[in-house]
Amino acid sequence: MEEFYRIRRLPPYVFEQVNRVKAQARNAGADIIDLGMGNPDLPAPAHVIEKLKETIGKTRTDRYSSSKGIVGLRKAQAGYYERRFGVKLNPDTQIVATLGSKEGFANVAQAITAPGDVILVPNPTYPIHAFGFLMAGGVIRPVPSEPTPSFFHTLERAIQHSIPKPIAVVVCYPANPTAYVADLDFYKDLIPFAKKHDLIVLSDLAYAEVYFDDNPPPSMLQVPGANDCTVEFTSMSKTYSMPGWRMGFAVGNERIISALSRVKSYLDYGAFTPIQVAATAALNGPDDCIIEMREIYRRRRDVMVDSFGRAGWEVPSPKASMFAWAPIPEPFREIGSVEFASLLIEKAEVAVSPGVGFGENGEGYVRIALVENEQRIRQAARNIRRFLETGPERLHNVVPLTQRR
């Protein structure tokens, strides 16, 4: 039978191929050190969990919730933006709670995209940045991930040569998967450019609080006039180690927020009210848990960069995010990121994400997530050392994924 229209537009999910190899290894008894999925292993803050317990099981809070987010939660997010970025937002018209930033991106794509609309999306980037628009009938045109002058040169060419003209550009800093960081000057160039060319700017700021120096990543909304064309997405998954709670936000331009809210009103009743109440407590509560989270990831980053380097794999040290974006070791580069990631599971019992899963320009790299403790990261390095010391002759008996059942 012919595939449905939206399914035809989606390429094979690269990560599923590697997940299959990982599952097979685990079923065979292997202890896989999983540095693949960006799935935080830290506990949610104690005061947030207590607020959830306090709220759950009551008639008032067990009923349908508000798709847009309860008033207290939207006010708490407005308070966070004012404290952290000096940006004032109207919680009634400029903020909507989302079921994580991923759902927010997917539904804003439904809200603003007509079939054939062109969207400028970084390559490599987090998959929903592209696939959300593909499912909505849009056309993706790639732009560089790194915030350099070449980013704007590519945007200029896209605007000149795309028919129809692009309607939106996606940016993500600190970047997933590359860990690139943009400064406020980059945004000060991007906003006037977007206004000049009538572009919507969609900014993924999920990793705003995961940084390792004294330069907190800025919000694009700090640029005067950014609200005229920008919506920014944040998430509580990383900041408060609440990935399974599915709690995030879209903030910014009133017209786009209104459109997103309307789409969501047809699709969901919002997150479970006790989760929204607990999320409110997180945003209004102390920052100690954020500082502790940041320090844990910094130590893991340092251990990973040091131990992997001594094992023979030089990994660039990320300035922010919970990921390292690492070139495949030279002897294995020719086999590609999917085969290398699969080989690493089978021969070193270490899982990473293949770079090509984030776009064709991610080929030659893998993403390493800091989601295991320091001891496990050192064990991963020891496993990798043994694997690399054996060398590429290990490839002789490897059956390519494309030939596996």
Side-chain angles (χ1 to χ4, degrees), residues 288-299:
D288 303 25
C289 55
I290 302 175
I291 295 169
E292 182 182 3
M293 169 276 297
R294 194 180 295 136
E295 179 60 20
I296 289 171
Y297 285 132
R298 186 195 64 77
R299 290 199 303 267

Side-chain angles (χ1 to χ4, degrees), residues 96-233:
V96 59
T98 63
L99 305 179
S101 58
K102 188 173 184 178
E103 177 266 321
F105 254 96
N107 280 332
V108 85
Q110 297 290 332
I112 71 173
T113 311
D117 277 348
V118 176
I119 314 295
L120 306 176
V121 178
N123 188 332
T125 195
Y126 186 54
I128 196 63
H129 296 158
F131 296 159
F133 291 99
L134 285 174
M135 285 188 280
V139 176
I140 302 304
R141 181 159 184 153
V143 297
S145 296
E146 194 168 5
T148 63
S150 65
F151 178 89
F152 292 98
H153 296 156
T154 306
L155 257 61
E156 288 278 10
R157 290 197 303 272
I159 288 165
Q160 290 173 9
H161 300 294
S162 295
I163 300 176
K165 184 182 78 66
I167 68 162
V169 58
V170 175
V171 294
C172 176
Y173 303 109
N176 179 5
T178 59
Y180 293 139
V181 179
D183 58 23
L184 196 57
D185 286 340
F186 176 80
Y187 293 149
K188 287 178 179 178
D189 290 336
L190 179 57
I191 293 302
F193 182 96
K195 288 185 175 184
K196 176 183 176 182
H197 296 287
D198 197 24
L199 289 172
I200 294 168
V201 184
L202 302 173
S203 168
D204 188 341
L205 195 60
Y207 297 91
E209 301 301 343
V210 190
Y211 59 91
F212 309 121
D213 53 24
D214 295 324
N215 296 305
S219 161
M220 194 178 300
L221 297 180
Q222 290 175 241
V223 178
N227 266 317
D228 296 339
C229 61
T230 302
V231 164
E232 198 157 66
F233 297 84

Side-chain angles (χ1 to χ4, degrees), residues 11 49 66 92 129 132 137 158 206 216 229 232 239 263 268 279 314 342 379 402:
I49 294 173
S66 166
D92 294 324
H129 296 158
C229 61
E232 198 157 66
T239 303
V263 166
D268 68 66
E314 295 297 327
S342 190
Q379 181 60 56
T402 52

Side-chain angles (χ1 to χ4, degrees), residues 313-316 324-330 333 340 364-368:
W313 188 0
E314 295 297 327
V315 175
W325 185 238
I328 296 173
E330 181 60 43
R333 232 165 256 178
F340 175 74
Y365 292 80
V366 295
R367 191 192 71 178
I368 306 171

Side-chain angles (χ1 to χ4, degrees), residues 31 33 347-350 378-388:
D31 177 22
I33 301 171
K347 306 299 184 182
E349 298 187 344
V350 176
R378 290 190 179 97
Q379 181 60 56
R382 290 192 289 271
N383 294 1
I384 288 167
R385 177 192 286 277
R386 289 192 291 270
F387 168 63
L388 294 178

Side-chain angles (χ1 to χ4, degrees), residues 292-309:
E292 182 182 3
M293 169 276 297
R294 194 180 295 136
E295 179 60 20
I296 289 171
Y297 285 132
R298 186 195 64 77
R299 290 199 303 267
R300 290 181 180 183
R301 177 204 64 172
D302 293 346
V303 167
M304 186 268 298
V305 170
D306 176 65
S307 61
F308 278 41

